[in-house]
Amino acid sequence: MKVAVLGAGVVGSATAYMLAKEGHEVTVVDRCDRPGMETSFANGGLMTPSDASPWNSPGTVRQIGRMLFGSKSTLKINPSAIPSILGWGLKFLANATYERHKANMISNIRIAKLSMDALRSIRQTARLNYDQTTRGTMRVFPCGGRISEFVQMCHEMQEWGVQFEVLDQDQILEKEPCLGPVIDRYCGAVFFPDDESGDAHKFTNEIARLAAELGVQFLMNTHIREIGKGSSSRISHISTSRGDLSADAYVLSLGSYSPILARPLRITLPIIPVKGYSVTVALNGWKGGPTRPVMDDGYHAMMVPMGDRLRMGGRAEFARYDTRVDEKEGRRVLHDILKILPALRSHIDAGAVLNWAGLRPMTPAGPPLVGPTPYTNLFLNTGHGPLGWTMACGSAKLISDLITHGRI
Ligand SMILES: Cc1cc2nc3c(=O)[nH]c(=O)nc-3n(C[C@H](O)[C@H](O)[C@H](O)COP(=O)(O)OP(=O)(O)OC[C@H]3O[C@@H](n4cnc5c(N)ncnc54)[C@H](O)[C@@H]3O)c2cc1C
């Protein structure tokens, strides 16, 4: 079957690979010059089924006021974005009950675990280089924080296969000696042995390379203008800046831009862009940082080793489609990390700092939209929010199975 995948982010590229493995003739269309140049470019780099809890946990919703207005605010709403997020926000809150949140968390875990299995099986047959670490991740909790609430949630996740260990101060230091100078800040940590990390942009290009080796065509620098309807039930073509393209089936994987292309088809996708920031510094051989990703639950900040670089990230901002990098936000991310890793300060080469911002394609419930549409040959694989890389190979497998075998 001829399949057109719309979007060459991590989700579209993984989808193309899975479809090509099933023997389909696949074309990927994207406006950028290379795969993974938008939200999949410099994300946090975490592959963390352990992070499957959607953002609207009842506990987090109680903290929204503090996150917005507190001295350590990590959430920002640009007034111009308010009209566009009202309906979405109500659905977000409607999903914040214990039962709905748990059901959505389980959906995320299922896709994320499928994803990790798929990735590991790809790695068994192909050599992939994306600055990966496979040493788990560690979430550290400041004293007086919410560790007991979090551990309770970990027990629920464990029923669905997410393994964890609770660590005391000595065990934290055994794993990450770099936290020595600030260890008194922490009363404990949770370690997730099966989590991984790496550079999502490099990974996207690696999976795109494997897809191309299987015959996938990447039509880059090509803007998709419209998805054309042949009849009320089928898509006939897509109109692009390089002319029309027809296929037997189409997969929509345009991240935060998916709703814009779906709207003229009378498909309303509940996805809004939620901006986030990352800062990446070159370490120039310095080995004093963490050896695996460390998340500080108090600052909502994370540091992720990536080869000879350290990536830091966090923050959530509702700012519509504004992808401008606000240097001030980048500095706040760095400032929080320097409180955890003060030794980093003297190793930062100001000329080699990458400040980046991207748009998480967020659904109000949490899980991505993976499945059919009212059009028999149009499929969705989009809306992965803060877990797009974690879930990319899994949701790609699901949509490829649906197109190939008619089941998900
Ligand atoms: C700060 C931050 C940190 C994050 N950290 C993590 C993390 O640690 N782990 C994790 O799993 N996830 C993380 N995420 C989320 C993850 O990055 C996203 O979920 C994922 O990148 C989404 O991938 P995608 O392929 O759906 O979208 P994208 O990567 O945005 O790809 C969509 C593609 O569609 C193309 N496109 C859009 N419109 C058009 C058009 N009209 N014509 C042609 N092409 C078009 C774009 O060029 C783009 O290449 C983070 C996100 C942010 C912002």
Side-chain angles (χ1 to χ4, degrees), residues 272-395:
I272 59 162
V274 180
K275 191 173 182 178
Y277 290 86
S278 76
V279 179
T280 312
V281 297
L283 295 177
N284 300 318
W286 181 59
K287 300 273 183 247
T291 62
R292 59 174 62 73
V294 174
M295 281 76 87
D296 181 300
D297 198 70
Y299 294 129
H300 298 285
M302 60 180 189
M303 45 184 180
V304 180
M306 249 173 227
D308 194 27
R309 298 169 297 157
L310 187 70
R311 178 156 302 159
M312 296 147 271
R315 317 197 67 73
E317 187 177 331
F318 294 88
R320 297 179 65 93
Y321 286 89
D322 178 2
T323 52
R324 276 173 301 179
V325 177
D326 180 346
E327 303 276 329
K328 202 165 65 219
E329 295 294 336
R331 277 199 297 276
R332 291 178 73 165
V333 168
L334 191 54
H335 178 74
D336 284 346
I337 294 299
L338 288 174
K339 286 191 250 174
I340 311 167
L341 190 63
L344 174 66
R345 187 181 296 277
S346 54
H347 297 277
I348 296 176
D349 170 357
V353 175
L354 171 72
N355 270 306
W356 174 85
L359 304 176
R360 303 173 183 96
M362 298 272 297
T363 63
L369 308 174
V370 185
T373 68
Y375 296 85
T376 50
N377 61 344
L378 177 66
F379 300 87
L380 303 175
N381 190 9
T382 189
H384 295 66
L387 287 172
W389 186 22
T390 303
M391 298 201 274
C393 293
S395 69

Side-chain angles (χ1 to χ4, degrees), residues 28-316:
V28 183
V29 188
D30 198 289
R31 61 187 171 197
C32 295
D33 60 348
R34 271 179 300 151
M37 292 303 285
E38 295 204 356
T39 306
S40 308
F41 185 70
N43 72 12
L46 300 168
M47 300 192 81
T48 41
S50 66
D51 223 2
S53 164
W55 284 7
N56 48 9
S57 71
T60 308
V61 165
R62 279 196 300 273
Q63 290 181 27
I64 283 182
R66 192 145 45 92
M67 288 161 82
L68 269 170
F69 306 112
S71 56
K72 296 177 196 159
S73 69
T74 49
L75 177 65
K76 199 166 147 185
I77 303 181
N78 186 318
S80 70
I82 292 173
S84 67
I85 62 170
L86 280 179
W88 185 95
L90 290 175
K91 288 189 195 139
F92 179 85
L93 293 175
N95 277 283
T97 62
Y98 173 78
E99 291 74 21
R100 286 199 191 180
H101 176 264
K102 185 169 175 185
N104 290 324
M105 180 175 82
I106 293 167
S107 299
N108 278 348
I109 293 175
R110 284 194 168 134
I111 304 178
K113 285 194 63 70
L114 179 66
S115 206
M116 299 305 284
D117 290 346
L119 170 66
R120 286 172 187 141
S121 92
I122 296 170
R123 279 201 309 239
Q124 274 171 6
T125 53
R127 210 179 145 80
L128 298 179
N129 186 3
Y130 53 95
D131 292 339
Q132 58 266 48
T133 63
T134 53
R135 299 164 52 81
T137 63
M138 186 162 80
R139 183 175 289 268
V140 284
F141 288 84
C143 300
R146 52 170 202 135
I147 188 162
S148 47
E149 191 187 319
F150 188 82
V151 170
Q152 200 183 325
M153 192 182 72
C154 291
H155 282 291
E156 290 179 3
M157 291 199 292
Q158 197 175 35
E159 284 173 39
W160 299 92
V162 176
Q163 302 306 324
F164 73 99
E165 291 164 33
V166 178
L167 308 181
D168 61 20
Q169 283 188 342
D170 289 341
Q171 291 164 316
I172 294 174
L173 287 181
E174 238 170 69
K175 292 223 180 303
E176 294 301 340
C178 69
L179 294 175
V182 292
I183 193 64
D184 288 341
R185 170 178 161 74
Y186 302 116
C187 281
V190 180
F191 172 62
F192 298 99
D194 299 328
D195 285 351
E196 298 190 5
S197 67
D199 182 324
H201 170 71
K202 286 189 180 176
F203 175 80
T204 305
N205 281 274
E206 285 285 75
I207 199 89
R209 172 179 62 79
L210 297 185
E213 283 168 15
L214 292 172
V216 174
Q217 299 252 355
F218 282 82
L219 264 183
M220 305 309 292
N221 296 309
T222 307
H223 197 101
I224 303 161
R225 294 190 174 128
E226 194 193 9
I227 303 174
K229 296 189 277 191
S231 65
S232 59
S233 65
R234 279 188 77 76
I235 300 304
S236 56
H237 66 281
I238 54 168
S239 301
T240 80
S241 52
R242 296 189 188 209
D244 291 356
L245 185 131
S246 296
D248 303 310
Y250 302 81
V251 183
L252 187 61
S253 294
L254 296 172
S256 292
Y257 298 85
S258 297
I260 299 174
L261 271 290
R263 203 170 298 133
L265 301 170
R266 295 183 185 276
I267 300 176
T268 307
L269 300 181
I271 295 174
I272 59 162
V274 180
K275 191 173 182 178
Y277 290 86
S278 76
V279 179
T280 312
V281 297
L283 295 177
N284 300 318
W286 181 59
K287 300 273 183 247
T291 62
R292 59 174 62 73
V294 174
M295 281 76 87
D296 181 300
D297 198 70
Y299 294 129
H300 298 285
M302 60 180 189
M303 45 184 180
V304 180
M306 249 173 227
D308 194 27
R309 298 169 297 157
L310 187 70
R311 178 156 302 159
M312 296 147 271
R315 317 197 67 73

